[in-house]
Structures are given as structure tokens and as C-alpha cells.
Amino acid sequence: MGRKLLLENINVPGINTFDVYRQKGGYRAVEKVLKGMSPEDVVEEVKKSGLRGRGGAGFPTGMKWSFLAKPEGKPRYLVCNGDESEPGTFKDRYLMTYIPHLLIEGMIVSSFALGANTSYIYVRGEMMPQIRILEKAIAEARNAGFLGKNILGSGYDLELYVQPGGGAYICGEETALIESLEGKRGNPRIKPPFPAISGLYNCPTVVNNVESIAATVPIINDGGDEYAKLGIGRSTGTKLISASGNLNKPGVYEIELGVPVEEFIYSDEYCGGIANGKRLKAVVAGGSSVPILPANLILKTLNGENRLMSYESLADGGFASGTMLGSGGFVAFDEDQCIVRNTWNYARFYHHESCGQCSPCREGTGWMEKVLHRLEYGHGKLSDIDLLVDVSKKIEGNTICPLGDAAAWPVASAIRHFRDEFEWHVSRPEEAMDRNYGLAHYADPLPKPEAVAAN
Amino acid sequence: MLKVSNTEEIVFTPELITKFNEIVARYPEGKQKSALLPILHLAQAEYGWVSTPVMDKVAEFLDLKPIEVYEVATFYTMFFLKPQGKYVLEVCRTGPCCLVGAEKIMKYIEQKLEVKEGEVTPDGLFSWRGVECLAACGMGPVLQIGPEYTFYENLTEAKVDELIDGLRLKTAEKAQII
């Protein structure tokens, strides 16, 4: 069994209440920082932990914190990003539902570290039940003296509020989230200035994912060095993985970073293998935005090494043969799934969610959706496949925010690895309407590394 | 889109105004515009959708120009700009849910309710639509029903029957009591 830091007590009855959470050692991290640490000490521990942003980008959290400007006379804000909308990702929902006080505790610790006296948790509007859960937890923490004025007699004040979104994926991008929190459309801002200099209400602001904030609690309790001992290389600590698709046991798992992908999919401790006795065809390992890989490439790298659930190992081979850990949204496809249909579905998602500010994304996502639709429904041409690659390249890197890249990568990677399935949709349109392409060669053993080198 | 079908004066109840004021207090002085999304959610829960008169009234309350409310309400997909059924079934239509049968569930709902996506049943009780990823992929297929956003997971046709028939029964019983 891997070590658990966030979900250790998840099965304790009543852990969603303040009293049980407290009995289980909850709010110790708040006591520790308010009674014996300076804000700089807290930032230092988080830096030492090597924690990387758990929302998808993987940027070191401690470093992000250290960029926060501290001008005299201006308030600073911490905003927690609970907009969780990346297809395949549902770990933050889980955490907020079952152990809300872990997030509240992390918010207090992190707000103290950043010198914020008002902090917001921005939760996607569809998660109204979770918003109610968090508001109840905040009220409990306040009654117990962990929020409000002069917390635990330390002189530190903190007010914490939950803000609902309105159903827009783009608001997971931090500057769009800030715009939304200001009561505007979720249009990402041009950077610089970065939020650390000018964010919410033009004040210095840090935006962190729910899981990142929660992870500060064990980091403070055990020390940054202890946290950094877990995991592998620069992928320190544990990560929540949202497992979905055709798996025997979909759900949220806390893994120590570095677990082999094969073990994660097939062992009974985790997903328990592919559902209905089918074979694995493909995996999207880090949420819909990251490149899709066929079964053989998700299990092994081109060098023949076992692929691990870590930032580095999943990215091994670059986009040619690798992918990204992203948000940890792990979607498994069985042999009966159609890659063309799925790619069309994702393209429709990004078209729907594009804010419309940048023309490459606004027009390109719609164009890709249209072309993929005709491929899926048997009206495609062979040249459409290269057209898709071309359009995706013209979106990538040409937009204000990463939604453009996120829309381009799934399409480009699907064609990179499953081109023959796309071609089959063009050459055998009637057959493609009737049945799916199947597993084909996508799980075949990879060529030996020597053979690859010789080529 | 912004069809005015309800022109009578909108008057927010004192309870609603109290809630609005609680929300405005969360933000610094002069930043009351931040309250716009939470207040639109409350207004939609009260009226079932956000009509132009409702938006105008929200603008007046927050001391905003009406356009500032319109541009927000039209950007966020959770806000309904026309009347809906009493229960709006919102089914996740994105990739991971489709791997486990979301498309079949949507087709089944369409057959059962006998209305197309976005339309309202003649009794005014139901409408349905596909929505993008609801962040519950491991429990798919899923649907939600506002304004509480109650969540239904691991949907099957039998579960859809139970849900829709149950809501019909509940409404019929209520009507009898009245």
C-alpha cells in the first residue's frame, strides 16, 4: 500500500465534520504555523517539499508563492481554484465532498504564508452541493476559532468565502478565474502582468488548485523534507488520480508519484484492470488536454522502460511518444472505443468552451469540430486528416491562454498515433458507421530500442 | 435570445434581498460587481430562468449598467435565457461519460420525455440538455437537476425511469394536496 497523505482518513465516519476531523489531528498545521512559524518559514517548507501545482501545469507551488509582490498598503489575495472542469478530472469534487476541512485548513495555512486576510474558494457553479458543504465547514471552523479575527490569539485575521462559477471551463485558467470572481465574463487576461503582481482587484494574488492547497497541510505537519522523500525525482509527494473510462474500479486514488502505469491500471489496489474482460486500447493520462497514447506507449517508453505515474516519466519522449501528467485525469479506452468519435467529442468540448477572444482558438476549434464530425459520419476526405494537423498547429501557441494548446493537442496526438484509424474512416465510411476499428496494432509490443536507434 | 416575455415589475422578496446583501458583504467596498454570479444563481433559482427584467433588476441592485449583467448572463452556460421545464435534466455529454454510455442515456431521455434537447414537455415539467463535463467522470453517466444541482450517478435506463417517474408522481401528489 502506498502512503496516503490527503485521503488517509477518508473512510473515517464523520470526517466531513469539524469534530471528527479535529479528533483525527485536523487543524494541527494551523496551530503549528500560527504559534511558531513566520510566513516566510511556511513558504520555505512548501519550497522544500517540491510540491508542484496539482491543477495541471505542474509549476512549483513554493516558487509561485515567492513571486507574490508585497507593496505597502495593498491587500494580497489567495484564491483557490476549484473550477475543476477538465474532462477526466474529478478529484477536487471528491476532496471537497468528503474531507472539506482539509481544504479549509490548507487555505488558512496558505493564506497566512501569503499574508492574505481575505481569501476565496472559487468552485464551479454546478458543484452547488459542494459549495454548501464548504460553507458549512467554514461556519464550523469559524465557531471553533480557526477563522475570523485574531485566530488562536495570534493576531492573524482571515475571512474565507466560497464563490460559485457559472459553467465555463475557461474559468479554470487563473486570470479568467480572477475576471469571473470580479463579476465579469471569463476572458483570460494578457500576461504580464502576472496575478502575483496584479490579480484580483489589481492586487497581488496567488491562485492555487484545491489539491495543491490541501497538500500544504501534510507538508507543514511533517515538514517539507519529509514530503519530498515521497515520490520519485522531481515528482515529489502524492497525487490524486481521477480514474475513469472502461476500468473495473473507476474512482479517485491517492498514489505516491512513481507508481508504474501498468500497476495503476491492473492491480487490485487501484483500477483492477479493464472492465468486461476487454483489452486496453488507449489512455488519456492527465485530463482531456494532454496527448492521447495507444496502449503500448502508455505502458512503456520508447526506450523500453516501464512508464511511471510521474511528471517526468509520462512526458518521456516528448509529444512524439509521450504525454503529460496534467491534472491526473486518467481516462482508459477499451478495444471497442472509436478514437475518431472521441476526438470529435473533445473538439466539440473545446469549441463550446473557447471564450472567443483569440481568433485562432475561436475559429480553429469550430473548424476542427466540423472536420472531425464529417470524418466520424463518413463524409471525410483523406486530405481532411492533414487539414486537422494544419489547423491544430495554427492554434497552438497563438492564443492568450493555454486553451488553444489544450484544444490542439488531443487532435494532433490522436492523428499522430491513430492515423490508420482516421484513414479507415475515409476509405471504409459505411463499415465505419457499422462497427469500430478495434484494437488493431495499438497494444503490440514496441520495437526493441536498438531497432529504433538504427532507424 | 434575450426575449422579453415577462414585463411586469420584478420585485425581489425581502428574504432574497437579505441574501443578496450577505453576498455583497463578502467583497471589498466598491467591488459589489463580484456578487453578480452568485446573485444571478439565486435569481434563477427564484424565477426558473433569467429574463431581461430580472437582469435589469439585478443591475439596479448592484449599481451596474444592464449590459454588464447581460454580457455575463450570456457567457455562462448555467444561466437560462428562456423559460425551462420545472426540472431541467442536464446530462454530461463529454468524452469519459460517453465511454460508458452517456449518448444512449441522452437518447433514452429524449424518447421518454418525447421532447428534443432544449424543449419543454407540454406539462411544463421537464426539459433536458447535454452539458459539458461535470467533473464526475468516474461515476458516469451522470446528470444533474437544478436549482439544488442534485446529482445522479452511474445512470442506467432503469434509473432514468425511476427518476422521471418519481418526479412526475411527486408533482401529481402535490397537486392533489392543493
Side-chain angles (χ1 to χ4, degrees), chain A residues 77 88 90 93 120 124 129 132 162-163 165-167 180-181 183-186 201 246 337 341 345 348-349, chain B residues 26-28 31 33-34 41 71-72 75-78 93 95 98-99 103 132-135 137-138 148-149:
Chain A
Y77 292 103
F90 49 100
R93 166 194 290 275
Y120 298 94
R124 62 178 297 178
R132 291 192 288 269
V162 188
Q163 176 85 357
S180 181
L181 181 46
K184 303 177 198 153
R185 297 164 73 95
Y201 311 130
N246 308 117
Q337 301 301 339
R341 187 166 188 81
N345 185 298
R348 180 179 67 179
F349 172 82
Chain B
R26 297 172 184 174
Y27 316 102
K31 304 295 181 191
K33 188 172 177 177
S34 280
H41 280 299
E71 65 176 7
V72 162
F75 182 85
Y76 295 95
T77 54
M78 287 180 76
R93 66 173 195 181
C98 289
L99 295 182
E103 286 163 316
E132 296 296 354
C133 187
L134 292 176
C137 320
E148 300 293 318
Y149 292 92

Side-chain angles (χ1 to χ4, degrees), chain A residues 68-102:
Chain A
L68 187 71
K70 292 176 178 150
E72 279 296 312
K74 257 195 175 184
R76 302 189 282 274
Y77 292 103
L78 171 65
V79 180
C80 174
N81 184 345
D83 191 55
E84 189 168 64
S85 307
E86 170 88 1
T89 315
F90 49 100
K91 65 190 176 68
D92 297 340
R93 166 194 290 275
Y94 186 82
L95 211 141
M96 292 188 283
T97 307
Y98 296 107
I99 189 158
H101 283 284
L102 183 66

Side-chain angles (χ1 to χ4, degrees), chain A residues 144-419:
Chain A
F146 284 95
L147 281 170
K149 292 248 176 271
N150 193 18
I151 301 170
L152 305 180
S154 65
Y156 177 63
D157 306 334
L158 178 65
E159 293 299 336
L160 184 55
Y161 301 108
V162 188
Q163 176 85 357
Y169 169 71
I170 190 59
C171 292
E173 195 278 337
E174 61 179 10
T175 60
L177 187 150
I178 290 169
E179 287 282 298
S180 181
L181 181 46
E182 291 183 359
K184 303 177 198 153
R185 297 164 73 95
N187 288 348
R189 295 177 180 172
I190 294 171
K191 297 191 256 192
F194 287 90
I197 309 294
S198 179
L200 182 63
Y201 311 130
N202 295 321
C203 294
T205 304
V206 165
V207 182
N208 282 141
N209 173 257
V210 168
E211 185 187 348
S212 309
I213 300 264
T216 62
V217 173
I219 288 170
I220 292 305
N221 282 336
D222 306 339
D225 288 331
E226 279 303 305
Y227 186 87
K229 282 182 193 159
L230 295 175
I232 182 166
R234 286 183 55 236
S235 297
T236 60
T238 66
K239 172 92 188 82
L240 298 181
I241 304 292
S242 320
S244 69
N246 308 117
L247 293 162
N248 274 324
K249 295 192 294 171
V252 175
Y253 296 96
E254 183 172 12
I255 62 158
E256 187 175 336
L257 284 163
V259 171
V261 174
E262 189 162 7
E263 182 183 334
F264 182 70
I265 297 175
Y266 292 101
S267 82
D268 281 335
E269 190 183 340
Y270 302 113
C271 304
I274 308 305
N276 306 312
K278 305 235 186 248
R279 294 169 296 175
L280 178 71
K281 179 175 181 179
V283 166
V284 170
S288 61
S289 306
V290 311
I292 185 170
L293 290 183
N296 47 15
L297 275 176
I298 190 66
L299 298 176
K300 300 250 187 227
T301 68
L302 267 192
N303 295 325
E305 288 163 18
N306 280 336
R307 212 180 276 278
L308 311 177
M309 302 285 280
S310 73
Y311 291 98
E312 292 75 22
S313 180
L314 283 168
D316 187 295
F319 276 9
S321 64
T323 180
M324 291 165 74
L325 177 64
S327 61
F330 192 95
V331 189
F333 296 68
D334 73 23
E335 56 192 299
D336 290 343
Q337 301 301 339
C338 173
I339 300 298
V340 178
R341 187 166 188 81
N342 185 71
T343 310
W344 161 63
N345 185 298
Y346 281 14
R348 180 179 67 179
F349 172 82
Y350 289 105
H351 179 212
H352 185 264
E353 300 300 336
S354 172
C355 81
Q357 260 193 126
C358 314
S359 40
C361 173
R362 181 185 63 237
E363 304 302 322
T365 51
W367 195 357
M368 292 199 299
E369 182 199 343
K370 218 185 284 178
V371 174
L372 281 157
H373 186 270
R374 67 176 180 242
L375 281 166
E376 166 64 8
Y377 286 91
H379 311 295
K381 297 180 295 232
L382 216 49
S383 59
D384 282 342
I385 300 171
D386 285 331
L387 174 65
L388 283 171
V389 176
D390 191 40
V391 175
S392 78
K393 276 190 189 148
K394 292 197 164 77
I395 303 172
E396 192 180 349
N398 291 321
T399 53
I400 291 174
C401 88
L403 191 141
D405 298 347
W409 294 343
V411 175
S413 61
I415 295 173
R416 189 179 307 127
H417 299 296
F418 300 89
R419 184 179 270 268

